[in-house]
Amino acid sequence: MTADALASLQLRRPGSGRTLLRCLRQLRPYRRFVLASYLLLLVDNGIALGMPLIIRAIIDQGIKGGHLGTIGWGVAALMGLTLARGLGTFLSGRWTELASQNVAYDLRNAIHGKLQALSFSFHDRAETGELLTRAVSDVDRVRFLTGRAFVRLVEVVTLILGVAIAMLSLHPGLALLTLIVVPLLSYQALAFGVRYRPLSRVVQQQLAGLTTRLEQNLRGARIVKAFAQEQAEIARFEEENSALFALNVTASRLRAINLPLLRLIASAGTILILLYGGQLVIHDQLTIGALVAFTSYVGQLLVPVRRLGMIIPAVAQAIASGERVFEILDTEAEVRDMPDARPLGPVKGAVRFEHVHLAYFGRHLVLEEVDFAVEPGQVVALLGATGSGKSSVISLIPRFYNPTCGRILVDGQDIRHVTVNSLREQIGIVLQDTILFATTIRENIAFGRPDATMEEIVAAARNASAHDFVMALPGGYDAHVGERGVTLSGGQKQRIAIARALLKDPRILILDDATSSVDTETEALIQAALARLMQGRTSFIIAQRLSTVRRADLVLVLDRGRIVARGRRTAEHTAHDELLQTSGLYAEIYDRQLRPQAGPGRGEGSR
């Protein structure tokens, strides 16, 4: 972050009080631990306030008055109260930490659940590193706020009030002179918090950017090395790291000024006691024991004040982190169940698009007036140039996005009026960019049906032409595939994805049959597996192969978000033959992309 950006940093952000209260409300389910902890804290403060009075009695009555018994019971009382404070501090700390750890547990679960529920449009804009920082680092700061930080704040406030009352009972004049420093301490602490909180938020945002850069480098390590961009990526990371360093230096400078200033103000109270209190003792207006008690009370304030210098920054950081956490939790999913949504139930697989438009983020129009109908069990092939809208069409069927206008029907039911989960249970997806999880092959195949038996998993793998290579792996179905399936080839990953879809047994399929990155033998296995997968199911295919187009019942040609040509299979001709005669764009796609697949001497006789 540049100096200009730092200079323009907003130092007064509204809503910190609301965020603080919301953070503390997370403790509500654990209020028994919290109440017990704070009760022990008050008892501890009461004991601390009573100990200087015992010291005064030991000095004035025991030492000065010559009563050994007073010294004896006074020392015994101090020892007993010290032990009681130790036990109370242990229990209070344990219960406070237990409550705050539960808050962190709940928030992480809530964030993960929200991220699972949020629509694709949210994840299109969000950065992985940013989300990771909020779920881990920011939640931990909130945990600290709801635990030790707020306990220390309550301790400081109650102790200051208690010390003020005790001092006033000993000598009102000296007490008022000494307590002049309290408003100064409070002002400095609050002024520091006002400046530090927005800076803390920017630090967390920069940390998220650094995490994102690191995550992308780790995930794309092979690409970085393949293009010899190690030094360039090191430079980019160093730039992000330097920005974080500059922000942390600014924050540490604020802390470095604040803590000594708080200590200086607090020490002024001790100086005032010695100056004025000494004169009172000399003139017999105050006992030595009372003066020592006054000094003890000021000493009791010094430790909390030092803590205050450290806690106020932490509280400011935690409030900034709380804002970032609640931003996620408050985000509404664009795709969610309507109040009258009902389960879809088993379907035959009829799909209809009626005058569908789609604009990403409400601005970028990618589909316009898309209208077509598919009967159960039919195969739909979608063709078009990159950016023509093919992926947008298939992403609307499982409601990854909602259409901007128009509607989509499955078996005559508007998919916006059925529950999202019940809709997606009827749909299987196999795309070219196959995503596998860093777990066993068995668990990857059973991802859509965790309750599937081993026999069902093996049967799905056999139908997907995956069983043989799985059994050749060390561990077989219990072999780990590595992050994103990195230990498997592209063809192997795609066959695992086909097995996953077969096991789910959906009525509607969404496929990308691109196999350009695999060898001829693997391609044949994948095509055979896809053919078995599509039997009896309504299938939408982003077509890359001539064989797919030839067997399609409906072929849709898209250009700039519109269906510019369509062909249907009839008893007399295929959709492919019809389009060759009626669509110049399809003929161009055929010549450029599909005709080479026909091979020598296998061109279309109709052309």
Side-chain angles (χ1 to χ4, degrees):
M1 176 168 288
T2 64
D4 291 338
L6 281 173
S8 64
L9 182 64
Q10 182 184 357
L11 295 180
R12 293 181 179 271
R13 290 176 56 88
S16 58
R18 290 193 299 271
T19 302
L20 176 61
L21 288 175
R22 189 170 179 185
C23 289
L24 296 178
R25 279 199 293 268
Q26 306 303 312
L27 289 166
R28 188 174 297 166
Y30 315 104
R31 52 185 173 272
R32 288 184 299 173
F33 293 117
V34 176
L35 291 175
S37 176
Y38 281 77
L39 180 61
L40 285 175
L41 172 64
L42 294 177
V43 171
D44 181 74
N45 280 350
I47 293 173
L49 293 171
M51 293 176 74
L53 299 179
I54 296 174
I55 293 173
R56 182 187 68 167
I58 291 174
I59 294 173
D60 290 342
Q61 299 173 24
I63 297 174
K64 190 176 180 181
H67 297 110
L68 293 177
T70 301
I71 296 175
W73 71 257
V75 171
L78 289 175
M79 292 178 61
L81 292 175
T82 300
L83 290 175
R85 289 190 70 187
L87 178 61
T89 301
F90 165 74
L91 292 175
S92 176
R94 184 174 185 274
W95 290 337
T96 298
E97 193 66 19
L98 184 61
S100 65
Q101 289 290 352
N102 273 288
V103 167
Y105 173 83
D106 292 341
L107 285 177
R108 289 191 180 109
N109 280 340
I111 289 175
H112 183 264
K114 173 62 75 169
L115 292 177
Q116 296 297 318
L118 286 173
S119 310
F120 271 50
S121 56
F122 173 85
H123 293 284
D124 289 340
R125 291 170 287 191
E127 295 181 348
T128 303
E130 170 80 14
L131 299 179
L132 288 173
T133 300
R134 297 194 188 205
V136 179
S137 178
D138 287 327
V139 166
D140 196 60
R141 291 183 187 275
V142 174
R143 176 199 62 78
F144 179 72
L145 170 65
T146 57
R148 287 174 291 169
F150 200 74
V151 165
R152 296 307 179 203
L153 284 177
V154 173
E155 178 187 29
V156 170
V157 172
T158 56
L159 194 59
I160 288 175
L161 291 175
V163 165
I165 294 171
M167 284 181 169
L168 288 170
S169 67
L170 288 173
H171 194 285
L174 182 59
L176 291 174
L177 182 64
T178 306
L179 293 172
I180 289 175
V181 301
V182 173
L184 296 175
L185 288 172
S186 302
Y187 173 79
Q188 173 59 26
L190 292 174
F192 176 79
V194 167
R195 291 183 57 83
Y196 197 81
R197 183 176 70 90
L199 179 59
S200 298
R201 182 178 175 87
V202 178
V203 169
Q204 287 300 100
Q205 290 171 343
Q206 182 59 35
L207 177 61
L210 185 72
T211 305
T212 297
R213 173 62 61 184
L214 179 60
E215 184 266 339
Q216 289 175 349
N217 281 343
L218 293 175
R219 188 170 57 184
R222 286 174 171 78
I223 297 298
V224 172
K225 292 182 180 299
F227 285 85
Q229 290 298 301
E230 292 93 339
Q231 293 304 316
E233 287 303 313
I234 289 172
R236 293 188 185 99
F237 183 84
E238 185 175 350
E239 182 180 352
E240 296 283 351
N241 201 16
S242 296
L244 180 62
F245 174 79
L247 287 168
N248 279 321
V249 166
T250 303
S252 64
R253 185 169 63 248
L254 286 177
R255 291 195 301 267
I257 295 172
N258 182 65
L259 186 56
L261 190 55
L262 287 173
R263 289 176 177 173
L264 178 63
I265 295 172
S267 299
T270 304
I271 295 172
L272 291 173
I273 287 176
L274 293 176
L275 286 174
Y276 183 55
Q279 296 180 36
L280 293 176
V281 172
I282 292 172
H283 295 91
D284 293 328
Q285 295 175 350
L286 189 71
T287 65
I288 294 178
L291 181 61
V292 173
F294 259 97
T295 307
S296 297
Y297 282 130
V298 173
Q300 287 183 0
L301 287 178
L302 288 177
V303 173
V305 163
R306 284 196 294 269
R307 287 177 180 167
L308 194 65
M310 295 180 286
I311 291 171
I312 290 295
V315 170
Q317 288 176 329
I319 292 175
S321 292
E323 291 173 349
R324 288 160 50 80
V325 168
F326 296 135
E327 278 179 3
I328 293 179
L329 298 182
D330 292 340
T331 301
E332 291 289 340
E334 293 182 16
V335 176
R336 58 183 182 274
D337 291 338
M338 297 180 68
D340 62 344
R342 58 189 181 279
L344 178 60
V347 298
K348 296 179 180 178
V351 178
R352 182 176 183 86
F353 277 58
E354 293 184 349
H355 311 293
V356 170
H357 294 66
L358 175 63
Y360 289 132
F361 315 128
R363 299 187 303 273
H364 308 297
L365 187 65
V366 293
L367 292 179
E368 188 175 357
E369 200 61 32
V370 175
D371 194 287
F372 64 89
V374 185
E375 297 300 321
Q378 288 189 333
V379 175
V380 182
L382 297 101
L383 289 91
T386 300
S388 60
K390 305 185 298 296
S391 297
S392 296
V393 170
I394 63 174
S395 68
L396 290 174
I397 300 170
R399 282 193 74 191
F400 292 157
Y401 304 89
N402 279 330
T404 307
C405 61
R407 63 176 188 163
I408 301 167
L409 309 176
V410 172
D411 281 12
Q413 300 183 67
D414 190 331
I415 62 174
R416 288 174 297 189
H417 295 151
V418 301
T419 60
V420 174
N421 283 344
S422 66
L423 170 67
R424 293 175 182 172
E425 284 173 356
Q426 302 292 332
I427 299 172
I429 301 176
V430 181
L431 300 178
Q432 183 183 21
D433 185 18
T434 302
I435 300 297
L436 299 182
F437 298 94
T439 183
T440 64
I441 289 179
R442 175 173 53 84
E443 289 174 325
N444 271 289
I445 294 176
F447 185 75
R449 275 188 57 198
D451 59 341
T453 65
M454 193 63 204
E455 289 75 15
E456 291 173 320
I457 292 171
V458 171
R462 288 185 185 278
N463 285 327
S465 303
H467 178 72
D468 291 342
F469 86 77
V470 170
M471 294 306 297
L473 296 172
Y477 285 89
D478 289 321
H480 281 256
V481 300
E483 187 175 7
R484 298 176 63 85
V486 70
T487 57
L488 301 179
S489 69
Q492 289 173 333
K493 287 194 291 186
Q494 198 163 23
R495 281 178 279 168
I496 293 295
I498 294 171
R500 184 164 59 192
L502 280 165
L503 186 62
K504 187 179 180 183
D505 192 23
R507 303 312 306 157
I508 300 172
L509 282 172
I510 296 173
L511 306 171
D512 185 341
D513 74 338
T515 53
S516 57
S517 60
V518 299
D519 57 66
T520 304
E521 182 180 355
T522 301
E523 179 184 342
L525 292 172
I526 292 174
Q527 291 298 326
L530 286 174
R532 288 190 287 270
L533 177 61
M534 293 164 58
Q535 288 178 359
R537 297 179 172 91
T538 306
S539 303
F540 294 82
I541 309 177
I542 297 178
Q544 307 286 343
R545 303 200 51 76
L546 179 61
S547 58
T548 301
V549 178
R550 280 174 169 164
R551 67 170 175 258
D553 299 289
L554 172 65
V555 177
L556 302 176
V557 182
L558 288 97
D559 183 44
R560 299 180 181 179
R562 284 179 169 271
I563 297 177
V564 295
R566 67 185 73 203
R568 285 192 177 273
R569 174 185 293 276
T570 66
E572 292 77 23
H573 57 74
T574 65
H576 164 69
D577 294 330
E578 179 185 349
L579 283 169
L580 281 176
Q581 300 298 324
T582 60
S583 172
L585 178 59
Y586 180 79
E588 181 183 339
I589 293 173
Y590 171 75
D591 286 332
R592 184 178 64 250
Q593 178 179 328
L594 303 179
R595 180 192 285 273
Q597 299 172 17
R602 295 175 61 187
E604 294 298 318
S606 58
R607 293 217 62 195

